[in-house]
Amino acid sequence: DTEGLLRIKEENQKHYRRAQRHQDKKEKIQKHNRRLGDQVEKKTYDLKIQHEHLANLRRTHILELTSVIFPIEEVKTSMRDPADVSSESDNAMTSSTVSKLAEARRTTYLSGRWVCDDHNGDTSIGITGPWITLPNNGDYSAYYNWVEEKKTTQGPDMEHNNPAYTISAALCYATQLVNTLSLILDVNLPKKLCNRQFCGENLSRHRFTRAVKKLNANILHLCFSQHVNLDLLHPLHTLRNLMYLVSPDTENLGR
């Protein structure tokens, strides 16, 4: 029993010495972890500062891009009410006819049905200048209607002020701007759309509508990535959504 007791004491001493070594290792590991934690915290802070600096650079580049090359602004068309013009030319016009003309001015034929235009056609969104605009209500039917009419009409097109040209140019510039913004913001777009999609050959109604949907989807994706207020967005307002995205009031632009 005495020999067994001595043997147990020797084993206990070995375990005690081993426990001391483990305790020393534990303290060293804890010290190392605290040092790494401090380094990670410092690196995280430095990374946050770099992200803020990068966001400011992106914001500066975007504001320069949209102020010099691709300015987007709301354009007042200052159209006179046809009811007023008609009433001036014909004093004998009845009040019912005047009201019908005013009501016709407040409606738009969109995708096979008549819809009410809240902005009464008085405003549109221009890109690269007030002469290249898109309808405020997202109605681009003038383009494919012009394409269908051109197919049935022989001879050169002499109508230089056709709204189809304006719509095509505005959508082309919007596509270029969206693709450039995706590079600056480092955001992958969900839909692939080349810059020349709306240029060159006349697109059929199906191809045109499909391309516009892709463009609107890309713009909304960029707006979501920059935390644009969702109450301001509308899925059909191409340039208006883009205007809200690149606005200086967008707090998270460049994130």
Side-chain angles (χ1 to χ4, degrees):
D1 292 339
T2 302
E3 291 177 355
L5 182 60
L6 292 174
R7 187 167 58 253
I8 292 175
K9 287 182 178 181
E10 290 178 357
E11 292 178 356
N12 288 339
Q13 290 178 357
K14 291 180 180 179
H15 290 312
Y16 177 76
R17 289 191 296 269
R18 183 180 297 176
Q20 286 294 112
R21 291 195 300 269
H22 289 324
Q23 184 66 26
D24 295 339
K25 288 183 179 180
K26 178 183 176 182
E27 293 177 355
K28 289 181 180 179
I29 292 174
Q30 290 177 346
K31 184 178 180 181
H32 180 68
N33 289 340
R34 287 193 297 269
R35 184 170 64 254
L36 289 180
D38 295 339
Q39 292 179 359
V40 169
E41 185 177 355
K42 183 178 182 302
K43 292 292 185 182
T44 302
Y45 178 77
D46 293 340
L47 180 61
K48 180 180 178 181
I49 296 299
Q50 291 297 326
H51 280 168
E52 293 177 355
H53 178 64
L54 180 59
N56 291 330
L57 287 178
R58 287 172 172 169
R59 183 184 183 90
T60 301
H61 286 297
I62 291 174
L63 294 180
E64 289 179 353
L65 178 67
T66 54
S67 62
V68 178
I69 302 178
F70 294 103
I72 302 177
E73 58 183 356
E74 192 170 4
V75 179
K76 296 289 184 179
T77 57
S78 65
M79 294 175 58
R80 299 186 63 190
D81 197 314
D84 299 336
V85 178
S86 300
S87 61
E88 291 177 359
S89 61
D90 187 4
N91 295 328
M93 181 173 291
T94 61
S95 59
S96 61
T97 305
V98 174
S99 62
K100 289 180 180 179
L101 286 173
E103 181 181 358
R105 182 172 176 267
R106 291 191 293 269
T107 56
T108 303
Y109 190 74
L110 179 60
S111 299
R113 61 189 181 92
W114 291 97
V115 296
C116 180
D117 185 6
D118 295 335
H119 297 276
N120 296 334
D122 292 337
T123 60
S124 56
I125 307 299
I127 182 170
T128 70
W131 51 87
I132 300 179
T133 61
L134 284 181
N136 189 53
N137 58 0
D139 178 18
Y140 308 143
S141 58
Y143 178 86
Y144 44 78
N145 288 340
W146 168 75
V147 172
E148 293 175 358
E149 291 177 1
K150 191 175 180 181
K151 291 180 180 179
T152 59
T153 304
Q154 301 295 331
D157 185 10
M158 303 301 293
E159 190 177 355
H160 299 290
N161 295 327
N162 194 302
Y165 296 144
T166 304
I167 292 175
S168 176
L171 292 175
C172 179
Y173 287 136
T175 304
Q176 294 180 33
L177 177 57
V178 168
N179 290 336
T180 305
L181 291 177
S182 68
L183 295 177
I184 297 177
L185 296 173
D186 194 23
V187 176
N188 293 326
L189 298 176
K191 303 295 182 179
K192 184 178 180 181
L193 194 64
C194 62
N195 293 339
R196 64 179 184 275
Q197 183 66 44
F198 297 99
C199 300
E201 61 175 336
N202 299 325
L203 301 177
S204 63
R205 177 168 184 169
H206 174 72
R207 292 180 59 190
F208 179 83
T209 305
R210 187 166 177 264
V212 170
K213 288 181 179 180
K214 287 184 177 181
L215 178 59
N216 288 334
N218 289 340
I219 293 175
L220 289 176
H221 182 75
L222 289 178
C223 291
F224 298 154
S225 70
Q226 303 304 302
H227 291 176
V228 178
N229 185 4
L230 299 181
D231 296 334
L232 300 176
L233 303 178
H234 190 283
L236 299 180
H237 295 173
T238 306
L239 288 185
R240 183 170 292 275
N241 294 339
L242 201 53
M243 181 177 65
Y244 289 136
L245 171 65
V246 299
S247 172
D249 298 331
T250 304
E251 299 178 357
N252 297 298
L253 181 61
R255 63 183 294 276

